[in-house]
Amino acid sequence: MEPGEALGIAAQIAVALAGFAGVVVVFRREAVHEWSEIDKLRLRLLLANSILPLGLSMLGLLLLTIKPMPPGIWRWCSGIAFVANLSFVTVTTKMSRRLDLPNVQRQPETRFIQYVFGAFGVAAMLLKVSNIALVGGFSPVFAGIVYQLVTAIAQFARMVLLVPE
C-alpha cells in the first residue's frame, strides 16, 4: 500500500471516530457541562485521539503533493508528530492529575488499560525518535497514527460500554 492511500484511510477513520464522539454526546441524557469530570476527560481523549491523527494524516498527504518529494519527508512528519504527541501527553497528564480520581484509578481494568496504552504510547514515541535519527521511513510515522486511532477506538468503546459516573 502506498503512503498516500494509507494516510487517506487513516484520515477517514479519524473523521469517523470524531463523529462517533458526537453520537456519544447526543445519546447521553444530560448535557456535556453536566457530565462528571472523568467522563469529560474521556470525551476529550476520544476527540484528541481522533483529531491528532487526522491532522497528521493531512500533513503527510500535503507533503506528498510536493514534487519532487522531499527526501526527509517522513523525518519531518515524525518530528511534528513527536512534538504534538508530547504536548498532548503533557496536557492530558496535568488534567487527569488535577481531577484527583483515586477511586477510578484504583479500578484494576482502568489501571490495566492505562499501563497497556502507556507502554504502546512510549513505543510509538521511541519509533518516532528512531525515525527522526536513523530510519526516515513511512512505517514509524504510520505506526504512531495507528496507535492513536486504536486508542480512540478503545476510548469510544469505554464511553459507550461504561455507565456514566
Side-chain angles (χ1 to χ4, degrees), residues 100-112 114:
D100 190 32
L101 301 164
N103 292 337
V104 174
Q105 293 169 346
R106 274 191 229 137
Q107 297 172 349
E109 62 274 0
T110 299
R111 293 186 85 177
F112 175 75
Q114 285 177 336

Side-chain angles (χ1 to χ4, degrees), residues 22-136:
V23 170
V24 168
V25 170
V26 167
F27 284 107
R28 294 276 297 256
R29 284 186 210 116
E30 60 276 339
V32 175
H33 66 276
E34 296 170 351
W35 289 15
S36 69
E37 292 302 314
I38 187 66
D39 287 337
K40 287 179 188 177
L41 176 63
R42 288 177 178 147
L43 178 64
R44 286 186 193 111
L45 289 171
L46 172 57
L47 287 171
N49 280 312
S50 303
I51 294 170
L52 199 53
L54 174 62
L56 294 172
S57 296
M58 298 306 292
L59 174 68
L61 288 170
L62 176 68
L63 292 175
L64 282 173
T65 63
I66 299 172
K67 299 292 180 205
M69 192 170 86
I73 184 173
W74 303 124
R75 283 188 169 98
W76 298 349
C77 288
S78 287
I80 292 168
F82 180 81
V83 170
N85 288 334
L86 194 60
S87 302
F88 168 69
V89 167
T90 303
V91 169
T92 303
T93 302
K94 285 181 183 179
M95 285 174 25
S96 63
R97 285 187 180 154
R98 245 187 302 151
L99 294 179
D100 190 32
L101 301 164
N103 292 337
V104 174
Q105 293 169 346
R106 274 191 229 137
Q107 297 172 349
E109 62 274 0
T110 299
R111 293 186 85 177
F112 175 75
I113 290 170
Q114 285 177 336
Y115 288 134
V116 168
F117 281 100
F120 284 123
V122 168
M125 294 295 271
L126 290 174
L127 267 175
K128 289 176 187 128
V129 170
S130 70
N131 199 38
I132 294 166
L134 304 170
V135 181

Side-chain angles (χ1 to χ4, degrees), residues 120 123-124 127-128 138-150:
F120 284 123
L127 267 175
K128 289 176 187 128
F138 172 69
S139 297
V141 174
F142 194 64
I145 291 171
V146 168
Y147 162 73
Q148 288 182 299
L149 292 173
V150 169

